[in-house]
Structures are given as structure tokens and as C-alpha cells.
Amino acid sequence: MNSAIRRLAVAAIVLMLALMANSTYLQAFKANDINGRNDNRRVRDAQFSIDRGPILIGNIPIAESKESNDQYKFLRTYTAGPEYAPVTGYYSFLYGRLGIELNQNSQLNGSDPSLAFRRVVDVITNRDQQGAAVSLTLNAKAQMAAYRGLAGKKGAAVAIDPKTGKILALVSRPSYDPNELASHDLNKVGASWKKFTEDPNKPMSNRAARELFPPGSTFKLVTTAAALSSGRYNPDTKVRSPAQLPLPQTTTPLMNENKLNCGGSDNATLTVALRNSCNTAFGSVGLELGADALREQAEKFGFGERQLPELGAVASQFPADPNPPQTAQSAIGQFDVQATPLQMAMVAAGIANKGDVMKPYLVESVRTADLKTVSETKPESLHQAVTPEVASQLTQMMVDVVENGTGKPGRIGGVQVAGKTGTAQTAKDRPPFAWFTAFAPAEDPQVAVAVMIEDANVPRDDIAGGKLAAPIAKSVMEAVLGR
């Protein structure tokens, strides 16, 4: 054998070994990832012929597969599609999956390892593969209240059971109809996708969990928590609260929204400052505490962490290294503080639950087609954000906000509500963001909620968290409380 032939033979052997190694690697380590990819059309063809399991609230399906008289055998349908779209997501031949349809895909199509026994039974009994049912934690009445409350507005609402972390409502508006993306008429699906993705109001954006917004004065709850936890403040501590607070390193002062001092005093108590949502008081407290203390407190409420993997929620943010004037702005929820409505609902829920922030979750359980439970989610503590004593002080201060301050529109007859308003300024050419976060009943909390309104199509002077967001939060809490 001459040298040229030997080199050719060696090269062929090397290529064969590389091919075998790559095939082994793909089969052993990457098969699940490849099968789960949205753009894997071969797998998608096969999966579209599977009787996919329903997504349930209680025993009521909000997404299910129905037999169809075409090549795909089953059509995915969504009840009240736009209302639940931010949670269910969609199941589309052309555009893959999103939301619970994506996160719980292996359970819904029956391919998950936890359903292996069920698949064996299906083979033995000659039945077609059936997916499992995924039950959600949502409260249908609370979801409807939030969806109706946000009609005609651009915004989001999230409600949580503060004792468990169960998501009771999660709404984002405007929304879209996932039925249009699940259709087997692929030309119509393409047209709907174009319509949704080119809409300037972004109906497919999940504003509740996947978009960040300046939280404005609702962040003053975090600043108050840091102040009370420091041991240097109590609810009756007087703080600097003039109409204008001079800031270091700048000639631009921090001002109260009404350009007056706080509740008639240049030295209001922390309780009065929260009741009237005074910027200068909390800017002053923020400067005293420093950025590190504010960031540490924010992180104890969940800032900096990605929650709710079922929906791929983004992490809320406190700025990394603000200078003193930026720290004062951050203390009132401005500058570069960014939060999701989910995060601000977690802040209220943590205070409601004696300082213990529970890990939020959407999937209650997974059951086989014959109703055998495959898995159940157990409540899990995330962080102890504040002590029970500080949580009790914050609760009373928030009750005062609703009964005597900016949160009056959130009052519920016969129920003590604890809440905080927020109106976040961003730019002169866009309306402020209106917020309200609250929980009820204050003495035995069953629901915590956050409502954010990005745009309500009302004059700029009519935009305020108490005026726009609090009535929606109130209706959501009433729905959960059965009132």
C-alpha cells in the first residue's frame, strides 16, 4: 500500500469514528433537547397526531385537543383564549409552543419519563398515546375580574396566595387569541402571526411576568422594609420631608408630586410619609440607608432572580452601583429600578405572610388520562424578607394608606385592606405608569395582588395608581374573597 492510499484510509477511519462519536453524543445527551425544539418539524408532525392532554382550572379545561377530520387528527382549542393566553401560551404547527404549552410539553404530549408506565400500558392495550392533564393554580373568578378590569387598557395584573405562592390570576392586556395560531389552516395561521407580531400594542407580550417597568412608589414598601429592618427607624420615626429635598452632587432637587411638604410637615413620620407617598421622605431615607441596604432588601423580596419558570419570567432589577442622587431616586422606585407586576405582587405577598416570601408557581398537579396523580407542587419558602415584627408594622402602615391615604379606592367594605399606590414617571412624551399593590384581609391574608397600567387612554393628569389601578386590584381581591 503506498503512502497516499494509507493517508486516505486513515482519514476515512477518522471520519467514521467522528461520525459514530457524534451520533452517540446526540442520542445519549441531546435527543430530548432536539425533540423539544420548536423548529423540529419532523417531531412536530408526529406530535400533532397525539391526543395532547388538557390544561385545567379545577376540572374545567381552558385548553384541550379535539378530534379533527384532517391529517393532524387533533386540533388544539382554547376556551376564553385571550383571557388565558399569557398563561397557556399557544400550540402552533408553524410557530411551536409558548407558556404552559412549552414548559409542560412533555407532560401534555405524554413523552415525559414520569409517564413511561402509562405509555407501556397504552402499547399493551393497543391505545393511542395520550398526554397528561396539567392543572393550574388559577382562580377563574379572579382571572376574569382582572381581565375585565384591564379592558381597553394596556397593562397587567397578578394575584398570589401569600401563604403558598400559588398564582391566582395572571393577566396581560392587550392579548391575543391562541386559537388563531393553533388552526390547521396554515395560511390563516401565518396571517394571524403577522397581525399579532406587527401590532404596535404588542398583544403577545406578557406584561405580567416577562416585561419590566419602573415600579414607582410601590417600591417605597421595599425602602420602608429596609428602614424598619435596620433598627434605626420605626413607624413613628420622623424623617426629612420638605417640598424639595436637596441632593448631593447635583443642583436638581428631589420633589414631592404636589410640590408641597409631606402632610403639612417638613419632618413627617414614616407612617405619614407612606400614607401620602412623599418622595422627599423616602429619598431622604434612601440616602441614609445607602444603595447596598436597599439592594439587599430588594433581593430578599426576589429581585435579581428569575421566578415562575413555567412562563420564563424575567428578573426584576435594582441598579448595580448608583451614586447618591441616583440612590435617592431608586428609593422611590425611579432611576433604573425595574420590576414585573409579578415581582411587586411578591413584595405584597411577602409582607402579608409575616415576611416569608413563598416561591410563586402555576402548576398545581399533573394527572394521567385516567386521573392518577403524577406530580403535585408543594409550597416552598423563597426568602425571609423581613421579620414577622417588621411585617406587622408594614401591614399596619399599608392599612393606613388604604384607609386614610392614597389607596382609598382599594377599600373593600367589611374587609381590612393593606395597600400601596405608585405612579412612575419615565419621559415627558409618554404617560406615567399607574400601580397598586395590596393584600386582604390584612389580619388573615388570602390574596396579594399587583396591578400595573402602562396606558389607559386617559389625560395625563388623570393617571394615578389609586385612581386607575386600585379599583382593578379591589375587584380581583373581592373575587378571591367571594364578595
Side-chain angles (χ1 to χ4, degrees):
M1 184 182 295
N2 61 39
S3 59
I5 294 176
R6 278 200 302 273
R7 286 197 294 272
L8 185 61
V10 170
I13 291 172
V14 169
L15 288 173
M16 287 183 64
L17 290 174
L19 181 61
M20 292 173 63
N22 187 54
S23 297
T24 302
Y25 171 74
L26 291 175
Q27 289 293 331
F29 301 107
K30 301 296 288 184
N32 288 337
D33 289 344
I34 293 172
N35 287 337
R37 284 174 53 169
N38 271 336
D39 59 353
N40 191 330
R41 188 156 182 162
R42 182 180 61 80
V43 172
R44 208 184 315 159
D45 284 349
Q47 291 188 349
F48 249 65
S49 297
I50 293 175
D51 186 3
R52 194 171 173 85
I55 299 173
L56 306 170
I57 296 180
N59 291 317
I60 307 297
I62 57 173
E64 60 183 329
S65 293
K66 296 180 178 178
E67 288 190 33
S68 64
N69 298 317
D70 58 26
Q71 60 176 321
Y72 299 119
K73 296 185 181 180
F74 295 98
L75 175 65
R76 198 66 168 165
T77 61
Y78 300 85
T79 305
E83 180 178 332
Y84 290 101
V87 176
T88 61
Y90 56 78
Y91 184 59
S92 171
F93 185 85
L94 289 182
Y95 301 107
R97 304 168 291 266
L98 190 67
I100 292 295
E101 293 280 24
L102 174 62
N103 179 263
Q104 297 291 303
N105 182 55
S106 64
Q107 305 281 5
L108 291 167
N109 68 22
S111 66
D112 194 81
S114 64
L115 299 170
F117 178 75
R118 173 72 197 187
R119 289 198 299 276
V120 171
V121 172
D122 287 342
V123 171
I124 293 173
T125 58
N126 198 30
R127 288 188 302 192
D128 290 335
Q129 181 174 319
Q130 279 188 295
V134 174
S135 294
L136 303 182
T137 59
L138 295 178
N139 177 313
K141 291 182 178 178
Q143 183 80 2
M144 182 181 293
Y147 187 74
R148 288 179 175 175
L150 286 165
K153 303 176 180 65
K154 196 186 296 183
V158 177
I160 300 177
D161 180 339
K163 296 176 183 174
T164 62
K166 290 181 181 179
I167 299 294
L168 302 177
L170 192 147
V171 168
S172 178
R173 294 200 76 166
S175 188
Y176 66 98
D177 189 349
N179 288 296
E180 294 187 39
L181 301 179
S183 169
H184 290 176
D185 185 332
L186 301 186
N187 288 329
K188 288 185 177 178
V189 170
S192 293
W193 179 266
K194 187 172 186 294
K195 176 182 67 177
F196 295 148
T197 55
E198 293 183 358
D199 188 332
N201 290 317
K202 301 192 298 182
M204 296 184 71
S205 292
N206 188 332
R207 292 176 167 84
R210 293 171 60 88
E211 299 278 337
L212 293 169
F213 305 92
S217 294
T218 55
F219 191 81
K220 289 170 183 171
L221 293 175
V222 178
T223 302
T224 306
L228 296 174
S229 298
S230 73
R232 296 154 56 187
Y233 296 82
N234 63 55
D236 297 322
T237 300
K238 292 187 175 182
V239 297
R240 286 190 297 159
S241 57
Q244 297 185 14
L245 179 71
L247 298 177
Q249 303 178 2
T250 177
T251 57
T252 303
L254 183 64
M255 301 176 65
N256 286 328
E257 189 68 20
N258 59 7
K259 298 181 176 55
L260 302 174
N261 65 15
C262 188
S265 171
D266 286 349
N267 293 284
T269 66
L270 205 53
T271 295
V272 170
L274 195 71
R275 178 192 307 159
N276 295 289
S277 199
C278 301
N279 290 339
T280 58
F282 287 93
S284 170
V285 171
L287 287 172
E288 290 288 333
L289 294 172
D292 290 345
L294 296 177
R295 184 183 307 103
E296 182 180 338
Q297 184 63 72
E299 289 173 352
K300 288 181 178 178
F301 280 112
F303 277 70
E305 298 174 343
R306 297 189 67 168
Q307 306 298 338
L308 215 56
E310 296 97 319
L311 300 184
V314 298
S316 297
Q317 302 167 1
F318 187 87
D321 187 25
N323 61 27
Q326 292 166 346
T327 298
Q329 291 283 351
S330 300
I332 63 170
Q334 298 278 179
F335 184 51
D336 282 347
V337 179
Q338 297 280 306
T340 61
L342 167 66
Q343 175 61 74
M344 297 318 296
M346 290 172 61
V347 171
I351 295 168
N353 195 36
K354 301 179 181 178
D356 190 1
V357 182
M358 302 300 289
K359 186 176 181 179
Y361 64 97
L362 260 170
V363 175
E364 179 94 63
S365 65
V366 176
R367 288 177 288 170
T368 60
D370 52 2
L371 303 180
K372 291 181 180 176
T373 300
V374 177
S375 63
E376 283 183 305
T377 305
K378 303 295 183 187
E380 183 180 341
S381 176
L382 190 63
H383 299 293
Q384 187 70 39
V386 294
T387 65
E389 292 74 21
V390 167
S392 177
Q393 292 174 324
L394 270 166
T395 297
Q396 291 308 309
M397 295 169 73
M398 292 171 69
V399 168
D400 179 69
V401 169
V402 174
E403 294 187 349
N404 305 305
T406 56
K408 288 180 181 177
R411 288 185 292 191
I412 299 174
V415 177
Q416 203 169 47
V417 176
K420 180 70 191 80
T421 57
T423 307
Q425 310 284 346
T426 51
K428 291 182 179 178
D429 58 349
R430 67 139 292 128
F433 296 86
W435 288 81
F436 188 68
T437 188
F439 60 87
E443 66 277 11
D444 182 23
Q446 296 176 40
V447 55
V449 62
V451 175
M452 180 282 301
I453 296 177
E454 183 179 346
D455 190 353
N457 294 313
V458 299
R460 189 182 185 95
D461 290 344
D462 290 340
I463 298 173
K467 188 180 293 184
L468 295 180
I472 300 171
K474 173 188 174 184
S475 67
V476 173
M477 291 187 287
E478 287 176 328
V480 175
L481 300 177
R483 300 179 68 86

